[in-house]
Amino acid sequence: MPVLPFESEGQREAYDRLRPMLEALFPAGIRERIHAIGYVYEVEGTTVTTTLAPWGDDTIVANRCYLALAVPMGEAVLRELARWTEASRFGAYGVDKDDSVYLEHQLVGSTATRETLGRSIHRVHEVAMGRRDEFRSRFGGGDL
């Protein structure tokens, strides 16, 4: 296993504790994230990520699924994402540094169980895929 640049002991502990859960949830395989501490895997042919970020003595587990890559940014896009986030009781829509649009749900690492982790991941995928076609037809963007 590669030596990873963990930012905290809590992040390392969460990484080690969550790996077997993810392997059980995704027996087809998980991969290491390239630009962050975490994992990448496929849900129904779509790439989903789990990133582990330090949060005091604990860790935030961020499960993310992209709706579209390289979206032409504008006020209408950002307003729609804000509306969707405000209307939802689950997750938040966002835009990364490459103007790619995603839905993300976060859990506290020390409290995550296989059940809550799996539910979060599958719900992120389900909700993002439910919005993907509408979003792309209105605002553009491509596939991962």
Side-chain angles (χ1 to χ4, degrees), residues 6 13 21 24 37 53 62-63 69 71 85 90 93 117 138:
F6 293 109
E13 289 172 2
M21 294 181 203
I37 303 294
N63 298 310
L69 302 182
V71 176
T85 296
F90 175 88
Y93 292 89
L117 185 62
R138 290 175 59 197

Side-chain angles (χ1 to χ4, degrees), residues 66-74 76-78 80-81 84 94-95 98-102 128 131-144:
Y66 282 86
L67 283 76
L69 302 182
V71 176
M73 264 317 116
V77 170
L78 299 175
E80 189 66 1
L81 296 178
W84 287 351
V95 178
D98 298 317
D99 289 340
S100 296
V101 173
Y102 59 84
R131 296 272 192 191
R132 181 181 65 183
D133 293 342
E134 173 194 355
F135 182 86
R136 288 183 185 180
S137 71
R138 290 175 59 197
F139 303 111
D143 285 326
L144 202 56

Side-chain angles (χ1 to χ4, degrees), residues 4 12 32 34 37 50 55 58 63-64 70 78 97-98 111 113 119 121 143:
L4 298 172
R12 186 199 59 73
E32 301 291 326
I34 294 171
I37 303 294
T50 294
W55 186 51
D58 213 323
N63 298 310
R64 181 180 286 190
L78 299 175
K97 66 179 179 54
D98 298 317
T111 65
T113 65
R119 196 173 342 150
I121 291 165
D143 285 326

Side-chain angles (χ1 to χ4, degrees), residues 18-122:
L18 296 178
R19 184 178 189 98
M21 294 181 203
L22 288 165
E23 288 172 336
L25 289 165
F26 303 102
I30 61 172
R31 303 179 306 279
E32 301 291 326
R33 295 269 336 254
I34 294 171
H35 302 293
I37 303 294
Y39 302 100
V40 178
Y41 40 88
E42 303 296 316
V43 177
E44 298 177 18
T46 302
T47 300
V48 179
T49 65
T50 294
T51 303
L52 308 173
W55 186 51
D57 292 338
D58 213 323
T59 302
I60 295 298
V61 178
N63 298 310
R64 181 180 286 190
C65 185
Y66 282 86
L67 283 76
L69 302 182
V71 176
M73 264 317 116
E75 183 179 339
V77 170
L78 299 175
R79 284 187 182 280
E80 189 66 1
L81 296 178
R83 276 190 208 92
W84 287 351
T85 296
E86 191 275 328
S88 176
R89 296 207 181 260
F90 175 88
Y93 292 89
V95 178
D96 70 13
K97 66 179 179 54
D98 298 317
D99 289 340
S100 296
V101 173
Y102 59 84
L103 174 64
E104 180 175 285
H105 180 250
Q106 299 177 351
L107 303 166
V108 176
S110 64
T111 65
T113 65
R114 180 176 163 183
E115 180 182 301
T116 60
L117 185 62
R119 196 173 342 150
S120 171
I121 291 165
H122 288 290

